[in-house]
Amino acid sequence: LCQYLQECYINVARTSSTIHYDSFVIMFTQLFKLPHLTILHVLIYKSLPTGSENHIDNELLLEMEKLLSTNHTIKEFLFESFGLSFNSLINSLLTGVERNDTIELFSLSSDYTHTKSLQIEELLKNNQTLQAVK
């Protein structure tokens, strides 16, 4: 049934239970596999991931990045994350969007302080289909 999903809006608010960082990467990986998904909005606020963000499986990140870069259905992608560190995840998402040739609207809001302006410039320079970046 999910294979026909065209729009997806996910809001992960502060939870009483903990969530492992890899769970977020796996979630994105599965979403990027959906063949009809055109709009994806993911908001993550003050969740409590377990473990260290430095222990995210690099193979999972690379798979997610590749799926995003080769996805030909997503037109609009919004990602917001506040209250926790998602440096590796955000870097992979930025790289995937940079290489994607169908995303027209990309929005990234985060208290992630390590986003390099050079990486954002590369995204804008290399992705000719983006009509708006917020």
Side-chain angles (χ1 to χ4, degrees):
L1 195 60
C2 284
Q3 66 181 334
Y4 300 108
L5 190 67
Q6 294 179 0
E7 297 182 14
C8 183
Y9 304 89
I10 298 172
N11 186 357
V12 180
R14 185 173 184 92
T15 60
S16 58
S17 60
T18 56
I19 301 170
H20 199 279
Y21 277 101
D22 283 346
S23 299
F24 291 107
V25 178
I26 292 167
M27 174 191 71
F28 277 113
T29 300
Q30 295 305 311
L31 288 168
F32 296 147
K33 289 180 181 178
L34 295 174
H36 301 287
L37 187 65
T38 58
I39 297 174
L40 176 60
H41 292 193
V42 178
L43 295 84
I44 303 172
Y45 295 101
K46 297 194 184 261
S47 293
L48 303 170
T50 60
S52 168
E53 196 238 354
N54 295 329
H55 293 105
I56 291 179
D57 184 336
N58 282 335
E59 288 182 30
L60 283 175
L61 282 171
L62 289 173
E63 179 185 4
M64 179 200 68
E65 188 178 300
K66 180 181 177 186
L67 285 167
L68 176 56
S69 66
T70 59
N71 182 296
H72 296 294
T73 60
I74 295 178
K75 303 288 184 207
E76 181 178 315
F77 180 29
L78 176 139
F79 178 71
E80 292 185 11
S81 169
F82 295 99
L84 60 157
S85 171
F86 272 128
N87 303 348
S88 300
L89 175 66
I90 290 174
N91 284 336
S92 287
L93 290 174
L94 285 170
T95 301
V97 170
E98 177 185 336
R99 295 177 181 160
N100 183 291
D101 60 359
T102 59
I103 294 176
E104 297 172 357
L105 171 68
F106 176 63
S107 178
L108 171 66
S109 298
S110 176
D111 50 8
Y112 174 57
T113 58
H114 297 96
T115 301
K116 298 177 178 86
S117 60
L118 180 61
Q119 192 172 10
I120 300 296
E121 287 177 30
E122 288 294 311
L123 170 68
L124 294 171
K125 183 175 86 175
N126 295 332
N127 186 316
Q128 301 302 314
T129 59
L130 280 174
Q131 296 174 3
V133 176
K134 297 180 179 182

